[in-house]
Amino acid sequence: MSDQSSSKIISETISNTSNESGNNFGFIESVTDINNRKDNLIKTESNIEEETSTFKRNDEWFWDTNSEQIFAQDSKTIIAVGHASVKSIVPLELLRHIYLPQKPHDRIFDPTTRTISYLQPRSYLPVNSLIQGEKKRILVTGGAGFVGSHLVDRLMLIGHEVIVLDNFFTGRKNNLAHWIGHPNFELIRHDVVDPFLIEVDQIYHLACPASPPHYQYNPIKTVKTSVMGTINMLGLAKRVKARFLLTSTSEVYGDPEEHPQAETYWGHVNPIGPRACYDEGKRVAETLTYAYMHQDSVDVRVARIFNTFGPRMNENDGRVVSNFIMQALKGEELTIYGDGLQTRSFQYVHDLVDGLILLMNKDYMEPINLGNPDEYTIREFAELIRNEVNSSSKIKTLPAPTDDPKKRRPDILRAEQILGWKPRWPVKQGIGETVKYFKRQMEAGLIG
Ligand SMILES: O=C(O)[C@H]1O[C@H](OP(=O)(O)OP(=O)(O)OC[C@H]2O[C@@H](n3ccc(=O)[nH]c3=O)[C@H](O)[C@@H]2O)[C@H](O)[C@@H](O)[C@@H]1O
């Protein structure tokens, strides 16, 4: 299709939609922006031929007015993520360019000598140029981790100034290597257990190991991170009048006796079990957050995050998604803990990032669940991953971990009603993307 007819489709979509709803200008700008961004990207990266060939100038899309999503013409393939109301719409190709590059942008790996050469000078992906007042200074603690780094990508592309604090216990500099040196970006090695002072407008407080083997590795440190880290960041928010968002967890519901779990449920947690350092740590973090809200009028948000997966999970993370994918890719046995009848509901990381940005920008202070209610037994999930990887790996049963929750599924009515958010990524599609990521990492010699 020619450029002309492609823009005709877009302009027709735009005019139809604005007639229907009256006010969709933010969204329209974002849709139009997709083409501009791709063009900019092509210009910026014109020296990398293989890369540019994946970007088609004449892409067609359509905007599904019901779900407010942009799909390819097949009406199934998601080609953009984000929400118009907070201007977070980003073409998926742009994000893929970061975590799934045909070739790394800034380094060459020589498999013979197993050395890496870093290239200079470097270019960056185009970020929005925000006007004064729109552009915020945003602190992301734990920003080099799996979820944190995806959040940073989105905040950077939106055009904000982003400062990341990370102690690199589970986070990796490599997750943010593509932003290092950018004028809008700062990466600081710092442990949130120690106070930190800076002038910012918003704080996304993610810092804390989240995978059971990691948070149980040093339980005292996990409690300190949750409690002292949160006190330090709330103290900072109070001092500089920043808005504060705590990333809490579905683990505050413990081994739930209510199913699905709504935000009103108080939970069922063993306070002295091996998971308590994380579960109780996050429960205290929530208590602190609301104490600062009531006592010191800090402007707070609390997201309760359910099982999340995607590119940049650590391959040794120990959580079920990365374990199963790596085992299937290497032809090893898939390790099911217990009878495999316990359930989890898995959300793809782009959906979570959408939810976090929407919540931060909404005037709502109660906790909100962010998760995908699509529930699987772990046994079904192992099957799904074997199929996606096309692997003939066998299944091995290992003892169930102490206090492993037997079922978990979010009630997301509140997120739907308050934020206009619900997961957009079918689990299979997200798994496909994650498998591609792990394969690429293996080919690049970054993981074994
Ligand atoms: O992924 C997440 O976002 C969540 O991961 C963990 O919660 P958990 O549900 O225990 O996550 P996994 O370690 O991935 O385990 C999920 C289920 O799979 C099982 N599992 C795990 C790993 C494995 O190799 N095999 C296996 O059967 C576990 O026993 C558990 O029943 C964290 O505690 C949560 O804070 C976090 O939000």
Side-chain angles (χ1 to χ4, degrees), residues 212-245:
H214 286 155
Y215 67 62
Q216 290 172 29
Y217 168 77
N218 185 343
I220 298 172
K221 180 70 198 241
T222 301
V223 177
K224 276 171 121 178
T225 303
S226 266
V227 178
M228 292 162 69
T230 305
I231 290 177
N232 285 331
M233 289 304 124
L234 280 162
L236 174 65
K238 173 186 165 188
R239 186 168 172 159
V240 301
K241 300 198 172 13
R243 184 174 289 178
F244 172 89
L245 184 149

Side-chain angles (χ1 to χ4, degrees), residues 14-33:
I14 290 169
S15 54
N16 289 345
T17 318
S18 35
N19 286 346
E20 276 161 28
S21 59
N23 181 14
N24 272 307
F25 297 115
F27 189 76
I28 290 160
E29 276 163 25
S30 301
V31 173
T32 317
D33 204 34

Side-chain angles (χ1 to χ4, degrees), residues 27 62-71 75 82-83 420 422-424:
F27 189 76
F62 90 92
W63 176 22
D64 176 13
T65 47
N66 285 332
S67 64
E68 286 222 325
Q69 280 210 77
I70 307 164
F71 290 106
S75 2
H83 287 255
K422 62 180 174 198
R424 292 169 163 181

Side-chain angles (χ1 to χ4, degrees), residues 33-230:
D33 204 34
I34 287 175
N35 246 359
N36 298 340
R37 292 254 201 136
K38 281 187 183 174
D39 286 348
N40 277 342
L41 187 60
I42 289 163
K43 277 180 222 142
T44 314
E45 299 291 326
S46 57
N47 51 338
I48 307 173
E49 266 177 40
E50 290 92 330
E51 286 298 312
T52 55
S53 64
T54 64
F55 295 98
K56 297 191 191 71
R57 283 160 186 270
N58 296 331
D59 265 355
E60 295 160 33
W61 59 73
F62 90 92
W63 176 22
D64 176 13
T65 47
N66 285 332
S67 64
E68 286 222 325
Q69 280 210 77
I70 307 164
F71 290 106
Q73 285 296 344
D74 65 6
S75 2
K76 283 202 294 274
T77 313
I78 297 169
I79 61 164
V81 298
H83 287 255
S85 61
V86 288
K87 296 194 172 168
S88 68
I89 292 189
V90 175
L92 183 59
E93 276 307 321
L94 202 65
L95 291 176
R96 281 198 176 129
H97 185 77
I98 302 175
Y99 61 75
L100 267 180
Q102 297 292 320
K103 271 198 211 161
H105 312 124
D106 59 349
R107 66 198 101 115
I108 301 170
F109 173 65
D110 180 346
T112 333
T113 55
R114 295 195 64 81
T115 51
I116 300 176
S117 310
Y118 289 92
L119 312 172
Q120 293 287 344
R122 56 177 312 176
S123 57
Y124 298 92
L125 290 175
V127 300
N128 282 331
S129 165
L130 296 182
I131 54 164
Q132 218 185 352
E134 276 187 347
K135 184 169 179 168
K136 300 210 158 27
R137 297 193 81 202
I138 302 179
L139 180 67
V140 182
T141 74
F146 154 54
V147 172
S149 62
H150 284 280
L151 174 65
V152 169
D153 285 347
R154 299 284 284 284
L155 296 172
M156 284 294 294
L157 293 171
I158 292 173
H160 295 300
E161 198 178 325
V162 180
I163 301 112
V164 167
L165 295 190
D166 209 297
N167 68 355
F168 302 115
F169 173 56
T170 54
R172 294 167 165 183
K173 254 192 229 165
N174 248 348
N175 289 342
L176 295 170
H178 48 282
W179 294 120
I180 290 173
H182 191 288
N184 285 357
F185 180 76
E186 272 174 84
L187 174 59
I188 301 166
R189 180 189 286 269
H190 180 85
D191 194 318
V192 288
V193 161
D194 298 316
F196 185 80
L197 294 183
I198 190 171
E199 283 284 339
V200 285
D201 304 305
Q202 296 182 340
I203 302 169
Y204 287 88
H205 179 43
L206 279 71
C208 190
S211 118
H214 286 155
Y215 67 62
Q216 290 172 29
Y217 168 77
N218 185 343
I220 298 172
K221 180 70 198 241
T222 301
V223 177
K224 276 171 121 178
T225 303
S226 266
V227 178
M228 292 162 69
T230 305

